[in-house]
């Protein structure tokens, strides 16, 4: 239903589920092997089997569907409406070729993303999670234009070098200041360098602003939060999972802003994701430190501070200010206009509110981890920013 106009993506997503997820289960049970550090119920052999078999099945089924439809609609006849014009392939001019290196690479990336999502303790059924994540990744990759990447490569290479050095210094400083642990420093370096490579220093500053906000507000009111058993674990040090949950969507949008013809839309998506992460982080930390009355978002019932899905005036106000400052920073840096900044604030509010609704309704019932919820709210924030910008701004 979602990909009724892109049947090749539907076929590839089914390949990820049937062969990727299926072979991961078989390989994990038959071969065993080292456990994944983030999920002791999964193995590296299972993850690798998912990527290999899922990518192979996705590439085969994707190209097989394209060829089948295009053969029924020869070049010059009615243009087929239910497959894409291309997907990192060499079908230009009607030539039906075997899967190209770019197509295989795209399917490997999509399979890797789907495999990582499946390996998390998300509480979401694999039959929904794998095709949703894998299909979304396939669609995003189908927008990539390799020629744009090739044209931008000299600038990307220069930014990689500068960004690597800058982020190494920041990661080391954050570790020394006990804001992150070792895993957080390494993953933060990777994500920060990737964002710097795609957006330069202007694109990187919003991420630095988000990190500074999170680090400062985590320490605010620490004694009260510790007394209520609400303080961040590991004495406030954030790890790799925190970085991945809050920053992955923003970095992904930055890559798509550079590699597709929809740069302004995805740039607003970057800021929407980071503004949502800022809203949620600041609202949680300030609300737990100073919020005297908390109310459940779905029923407005008064609940103890720190209850999943609870809101407080102090926390919500602080989170909104954080989102406004993030949007203002993007405007000041020339990353968006005034209308785009308004869209970003609205999207951040929607994403953070959606996170509260999840917390109040299904988080505990489905066994969702806080990191999965944070990842979801940044996805909602980015998606809302892109949708609003597409409809009202750009």
């Amino acid at each position: 239903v979602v990909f009724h106009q892109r049947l090749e993506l539907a076929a590839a997503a089914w390949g990820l589920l049937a062969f990727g997820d299926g072979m991961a289960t078989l390989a994990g049970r038959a071969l065993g092997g080292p456990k994944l550090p983030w999920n002791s119920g999964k193995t590296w052999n299972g993850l690798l089997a998912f990527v290999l078999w899922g990518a192979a099945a996705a590439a085969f089924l994707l190209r097989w569907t394209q060829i089948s439809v295009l053969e029924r609609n020869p070049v010059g006849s009615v243009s087929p409406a239910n497959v894409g014009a291309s997907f990192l392939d060499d079908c230009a001019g009607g030539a039906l070729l075997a899967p190209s290196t770019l197509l295989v690479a795209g399917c490997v990336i999509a399979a890797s993303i789907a495999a990582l999502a499946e390996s998390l303790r998300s509480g979401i059924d694999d039959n929904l999670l794998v095709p949703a994540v894998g299909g979304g990744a396939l669609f995003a990759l189908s927008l990539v234009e390799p020629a744009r990447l090739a044209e931008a490569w000299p600038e990307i290479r220069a930014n990689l070098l500068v960004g690597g050095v800058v982020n190494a210094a920041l990661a080391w400083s954050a570790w020394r200041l006990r804001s992150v642990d070792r895993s957080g420093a390494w993953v933060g370096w990777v994500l920060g360098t990737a964002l710097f490579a795609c957006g330069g220093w202007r694109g990187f500053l919003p991420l630095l602003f988000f990190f500074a906000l999170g680090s400062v507000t985590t320490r605010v009111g620490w004694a009260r939060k510790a007394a209520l058993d609400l303080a961040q674990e590991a004495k406030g040090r954030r790890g790799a999972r925190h970085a991945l949950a809050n920053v992955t969507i923003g970095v992904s949008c930055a890559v798509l802003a550079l590699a597709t013809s929809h740069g302004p839309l995805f740039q607003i998506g970057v800021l929407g994701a980071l503004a949502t992460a800022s809203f949620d982080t600041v609202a949680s930390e300030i609300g737990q430190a100073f919020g005297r009355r908390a109310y459940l978002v779905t029923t407005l019932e008064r609940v103890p501070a720190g209850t999943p899905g609870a809101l407080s005036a102090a926390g919500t106000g602080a989170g909104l200010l954080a989102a406004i400052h993030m949007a203002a920073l993007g405007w000041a840096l020339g990353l968006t206009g005034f209308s785009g900044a308004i869209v970003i604030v609205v999207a951040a509010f929607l994403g953070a509110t959606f996170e509260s609704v999840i917390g109040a309704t299904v988080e505990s019932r489905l066994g969702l981890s806080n990191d999965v919820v944070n990842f979801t709210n940044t996805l909602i924030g980015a998606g809302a920013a892109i949708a609003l910008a597409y409809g009202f701004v750009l």
Side-chain angles (χ1 to χ4, degrees):
V1 172
V2 173
F3 291 132
H4 64 281
Q5 292 184 317
R6 300 296 301 272
L7 293 183
E8 78 280 13
L9 299 187
W14 280 329
L16 292 175
L17 177 63
F19 288 87
D21 190 38
M23 290 303 296
T25 300
L26 293 176
R29 291 177 177 176
L31 301 177
K35 305 292 185 181
L36 296 178
W38 57 89
N39 188 347
S40 60
K42 306 284 186 178
T43 66
W44 283 106
N45 285 329
L47 185 73
L48 181 61
F50 190 122
V51 174
L52 293 177
W53 285 89
F60 173 79
L61 291 171
L62 190 152
R63 182 52 52 84
W64 182 81
T65 304
Q66 280 183 319
I67 292 174
S68 297
V69 174
L70 289 173
E71 284 180 341
R72 295 184 182 185
N73 297 269
V75 176
S77 66
V78 178
S79 177
N82 49 4
V83 296
S86 65
F87 174 72
L88 298 178
D89 58 28
D90 303 306
C91 283
L96 302 178
L97 305 179
S100 67
T101 302
L102 288 174
L103 173 64
V104 173
C107 289
V108 168
I109 294 172
S112 300
I113 293 171
L116 287 172
E118 187 272 340
S119 71
L120 298 174
R121 297 182 184 274
S122 66
I124 303 174
D125 193 300
D126 290 350
N127 294 307
L128 174 63
L129 181 67
V130 171
V133 173
L138 287 165
F139 176 74
L141 288 165
S142 74
L143 300 176
V144 171
E145 300 175 18
R148 286 180 178 271
L149 287 175
E151 183 180 354
W153 174 242
E155 183 179 358
I156 295 173
R157 183 172 54 192
N159 286 339
L160 270 175
L161 178 60
V162 176
V165 173
V166 169
N167 279 278
L170 291 172
W172 182 83
S173 300
W175 177 71
R176 291 289 296 175
L177 292 171
R178 302 181 181 275
S179 294
V180 298
D181 61 17
R182 289 182 185 275
S183 69
W186 279 107
V187 171
W189 176 78
V190 171
L191 293 172
T193 301
L195 189 58
F196 201 109
C198 294
W201 67 268
R202 287 185 177 86
F204 175 71
L205 279 183
L207 175 60
L208 185 60
F209 179 64
F210 162 67
F211 176 74
L213 274 178
S215 298
V216 171
T217 54
T218 296
R219 302 293 179 183
V220 171
W222 180 268
R224 181 174 188 264
K225 288 185 282 190
L228 295 174
D229 197 25
L230 297 175
Q232 182 74 27
E233 70 270 17
K235 297 183 178 180
R237 285 196 168 195
R238 299 182 184 272
R241 57 193 179 88
H242 298 102
L244 290 169
N246 287 292
V247 181
T248 298
I249 294 299
V251 173
S252 299
C253 285
V255 174
L256 293 172
L258 181 70
T260 74
S261 59
H262 308 285
L265 275 178
F266 282 115
Q267 183 57 62
I268 287 180
V270 175
L271 294 170
L274 293 176
T276 303
S278 300
F279 192 126
D280 178 57
T281 300
V282 172
S284 296
E285 297 294 346
I286 297 301
Q288 292 168 4
F290 300 110
R292 301 306 175 191
R293 296 179 180 177
Y295 301 90
L296 205 61
V297 66
T298 51
T299 64
L300 298 182
E301 175 188 359
R302 187 169 179 178
V303 292
T307 301
L311 302 176
S312 68
T316 302
L320 185 59
L321 283 175
I324 291 173
H325 279 82
M326 178 66 75
L329 177 62
W331 182 26
L333 292 170
L335 301 175
T336 188
F338 178 73
S339 298
I342 294 176
V343 161
I344 289 163
V345 174
V346 173
F349 178 79
L350 292 175
T353 302
F354 184 81
E355 188 265 352
S356 296
V357 172
I358 292 177
T361 55
V362 299
E363 181 176 349
S364 59
R365 187 187 315 162
L366 296 179
L368 301 179
S369 70
N370 188 58
D371 298 315
V372 170
V373 175
N374 286 340
F375 178 86
T376 303
N377 76 16
T378 59
L379 178 61
I380 296 297
I386 290 171
L388 290 170
Y390 182 78
F392 300 105
V393 178
L394 300 178

